[in-house]
């Protein structure tokens, strides 16, 4: 039987990252492709103790329906935390707990976008967000990303050239996939450009706390006095991704609509995972755990950078992030990294081709994303060595 598929879903392609995971399952393959946090950072023992207690002493609370907005003690804890560490939250703001940061992006899109409306995105940008926007029929307008964030002159030009621009999507801190951080000056300029043009900003910040040296850059939401910024946060990179816990902080009027949209999607985020996070935040020091994560990822990143310096061909450009999980490389010379990825698989190493993160995935791309968070030092170095051989052969 030939099945009918909707116009919104038919042209969409699956995540190349998820496809790469099929190869990464081979223990001989070194995966520099994913975006997973290091499993060694998961507080499994602590969460196991909390789970046993919740399910034995509070089984009804753990297993019954909850409210769509999220477990109130968890919402209060998140509000207090983002106010303390990011200076986020005004009397006009509200917060909803969502099933991972990805759902937050999808719900915001559902609420704000009609088919054919424009979403301005960084080019390159996070594939999960791009597909969320595509799934609602949005027109994607890309703005190049420089070493200090989005090109603001190009942004103003893109706004003038496109109709019905509903919001600007940005990952300003340790951007996925490039690893770069938007300067404070550009953050303020972005805010003023959006304000002047009556456009919302969707600020996605899953990596902001993973700063290697502890230096924090002010979030755009922290100076949102006009109610134009929706802030998406997540526990996936600082607690555990399998809990599927994220949140959106935004003006109350928008949160009220997002609540309705979430009721249609999944009614509410699972209570048991919300309780795990609530009790963990109450009993343990997440800030101290994050300090250890920073040192771990800083070491892994430097290990990869040292290997790139030693094994990659001369002339390859790459970023030197100050935090987060990713390095972005550009081979240049018209090399198509999607086609080249097959050669890498033959050498038992995988990366994510750059076209995956572009508004038009069909165009050849000489860039790629590398991840250092899950592999050991030895496998990082060996993986880069194998890639260096593949890249040198391609450039001959």
């Amino acid at each position: 039987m030939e099945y009918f598929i909707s116009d919104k879903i038919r042209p969409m392609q699956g995540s190349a990252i998820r496809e790469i995971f099929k190869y990464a399952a081979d223990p001989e393959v070194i995966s520099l492709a994913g975006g997973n946090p290091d499993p060694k950072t998961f507080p499994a023992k602590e969460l196991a103790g909390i789970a046993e207690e919740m399910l034995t002493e509070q089984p009804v609370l753990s297993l019954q329906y909850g409210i769509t907005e999220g477990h109130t003690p968890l919402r209060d804890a998140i509000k207090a935390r983002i106010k303390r560490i990011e200076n986020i939250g005004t009397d006009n703001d509200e917060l909803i707990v969502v099933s991972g940061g990805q759902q937050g992006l999808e719900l915001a899109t559902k609420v704000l976008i009609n088919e054919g409306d424009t979403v301005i995105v960084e080019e390159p940008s996070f594939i999960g967000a791009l597909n969320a926007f595509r799934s609602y029929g949005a027109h994607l307008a890309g703005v190049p990303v420089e070493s200090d964030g989005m090109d603001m002159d190009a942004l103003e030009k893109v706004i003038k050239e496109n109709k019905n621009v509903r919001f600007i999507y940005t990952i300003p801190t340790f951007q996925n996939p490039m690893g770069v951080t938007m300067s404070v000056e550009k953050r303020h300029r972005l805010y003023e450009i959006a304000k002047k043009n009556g456009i919302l900003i969707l600020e996605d910040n899953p990596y902001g706390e993973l700063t290697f040296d502890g230096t924090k850059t002010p979030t755009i939401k922290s100076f949102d006095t006009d109610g134009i910024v929706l802030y998406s946060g997540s526990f996936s990179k600082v607690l555990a991704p399998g809990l599927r816990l994220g949140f959106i902080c935004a003006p109350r009027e928008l949160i009220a609509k997002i609540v309705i949209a979430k009721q249609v999607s999944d009614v509410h985020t699972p209570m048991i995972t919300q309780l795990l996070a609530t009790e963990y935040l109450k009993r343990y020091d997440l800030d101290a755990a994050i300090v250890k994560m920073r040192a771990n990822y800083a070491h892994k990143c430097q290990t990869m950078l040292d290997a790139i310096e030693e094994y990659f061909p001369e002339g390859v450009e790459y970023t030197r992030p100050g935090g987060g999980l990713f390095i972005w490389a550009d081979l240049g010379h018209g090399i198509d990294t999607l086609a080249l990825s097959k050669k890498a698989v033959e050498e038992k190493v995988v990366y994510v081709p750059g076209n995956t993160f572009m508004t038009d995935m069909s165009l050849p791309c000489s860039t790629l994303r590398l991840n250092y968070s899950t592999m050991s030092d030895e496998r990082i170095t060996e993986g880069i060595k194998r890639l260096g051989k593949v890249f040198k052969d391609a450039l001959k």
Side-chain angles (χ1 to χ4, degrees):
M1 178 178 179
E2 183 175 351
Y3 296 99
F4 174 81
I5 305 298
S6 72
D7 292 340
K8 290 180 180 178
I9 297 299
R10 189 185 308 112
M12 292 180 61
Q13 301 179 39
S15 169
I17 301 170
R18 295 292 162 187
E19 290 299 312
I20 288 169
F21 279 170
K22 296 176 183 177
Y23 298 111
D26 182 344
E28 294 186 7
V29 170
I30 297 175
S31 176
L32 306 179
N36 296 355
D38 188 343
K40 294 178 182 178
T41 67
F42 299 163
K45 182 179 178 180
E46 293 85 348
L47 292 177
I50 295 170
E52 181 179 14
E53 180 182 324
M54 291 296 106
L55 290 169
T56 55
E57 298 181 14
Q58 300 191 62
V60 176
L61 180 61
S62 301
L63 301 175
Q64 187 57 278
Y65 285 118
I67 63 173
T68 305
E69 290 85 346
H71 185 48
T72 299
L74 178 57
R75 290 168 62 221
D76 290 343
I78 295 172
K79 289 178 184 178
R81 191 165 194 277
I82 63 175
K83 186 66 176 179
R84 173 173 60 85
I85 66 175
E86 303 288 5
N87 192 30
I88 286 176
T90 68
D91 291 340
N92 187 48
D93 285 324
E94 191 47 87
L95 184 143
I96 180 174
V97 177
V98 292
S99 300
Q102 178 66 33
Q103 188 186 50
L105 303 180
E106 192 268 342
L107 292 176
T109 309
K110 181 188 289 189
V111 167
L112 297 174
I113 292 294
N114 286 323
E115 190 165 353
D117 287 344
T118 297
V119 174
I120 294 178
V121 300
E122 294 163 330
E123 183 109 74
S125 190
F126 171 47
I127 179 61
L130 298 180
N131 274 346
F133 307 150
R134 290 176 179 125
S135 72
Y136 286 93
H139 166 65
L140 302 182
V143 176
V145 178
E146 302 172 311
S147 61
D148 62 346
M150 189 185 294
D151 182 336
M152 292 300 149
D153 291 334
L155 171 62
E156 292 194 294
K157 184 172 183 288
V158 168
I159 290 174
K160 292 178 181 177
E161 293 175 346
N162 288 273
K163 297 179 180 179
N164 300 328
V165 178
R166 299 305 180 196
F167 62 82
I168 301 165
Y169 173 69
T170 178
I171 312 171
T173 307
F174 313 131
Q175 196 248 17
N176 181 3
M178 292 186 69
V180 302
T181 294
M182 187 183 293
S183 67
V184 175
E185 293 76 17
K186 281 193 171 182
R187 292 173 192 237
H188 282 282
R189 187 175 173 192
L190 171 60
Y191 185 84
E192 292 303 320
I193 290 171
K195 178 181 173 181
K196 178 180 68 176
N197 289 279
I199 300 171
L200 297 176
I201 298 171
L202 178 52
E203 180 180 14
D204 193 6
N205 191 30
Y207 313 103
E209 294 200 67
L210 301 180
T211 165
F212 296 157
D213 63 3
T215 303
K216 298 293 288 293
T217 306
T219 62
I220 302 170
K221 182 63 178 172
S222 68
F223 47 82
D224 178 25
T225 56
D226 300 277
I228 63 171
V229 181
L230 295 84
Y231 180 86
S232 175
S234 173
F235 285 103
S236 290
K237 303 304 186 290
V238 297
L239 192 54
L243 295 178
R244 305 311 303 134
L245 287 174
F247 57 90
I248 298 179
C249 180
R252 292 177 183 274
E253 183 178 353
L254 292 178
I255 292 295
K257 295 299 183 183
I258 291 173
V259 168
I260 297 171
K262 182 170 171 62
Q263 289 169 350
V264 175
S265 294
D266 65 355
V267 184
H268 66 85
T269 300
M271 280 300 299
I272 184 61
T273 56
Q274 292 192 72
L275 291 173
L276 289 174
T278 303
E279 293 302 314
Y280 182 87
L281 292 173
K282 185 188 300 182
R283 303 178 191 187
Y284 300 101
D285 190 343
L286 179 59
D287 292 350
I290 290 173
V291 170
K292 294 180 180 179
M293 293 177 204
R294 292 170 178 170
N296 178 35
Y297 293 139
H299 172 79
K300 287 175 177 287
C301 181
Q302 190 58 54
T303 298
M304 180 171 282
L305 289 171
D306 291 344
I308 288 173
E309 180 70 24
E310 181 174 356
Y311 294 113
F312 272 20
E314 289 187 12
V316 173
E317 298 180 353
Y318 53 93
T319 57
R320 297 177 177 272
L325 306 180
F326 307 113
I327 291 172
W328 184 251
D330 190 348
L331 303 184
H333 303 284
I335 298 293
D336 181 356
T337 53
L338 175 60
L340 195 60
S341 65
K342 298 175 183 177
K343 295 290 185 182
V345 169
E346 293 175 4
E347 296 294 329
K348 299 290 186 179
V349 60
V350 291
Y351 60 82
V352 186
N355 71 301
T356 301
F357 307 98
M358 302 300 179
T359 55
D360 186 348
M361 296 171 60
S362 67
L363 297 178
C365 198
S366 62
T367 54
L368 63 143
R369 191 191 76 178
L370 298 167
N371 166 262
Y372 45 77
S373 59
T374 61
M375 294 289 105
S376 66
D377 290 3
E378 293 75 18
R379 285 175 72 79
I380 289 172
T381 301
E382 177 61 24
I384 293 298
K385 183 178 180 180
R386 294 179 189 181
L387 281 184
K389 177 180 181 299
V390 171
F391 296 162
K392 287 175 182 177
D393 288 345
L395 289 170
K396 286 180 181 178

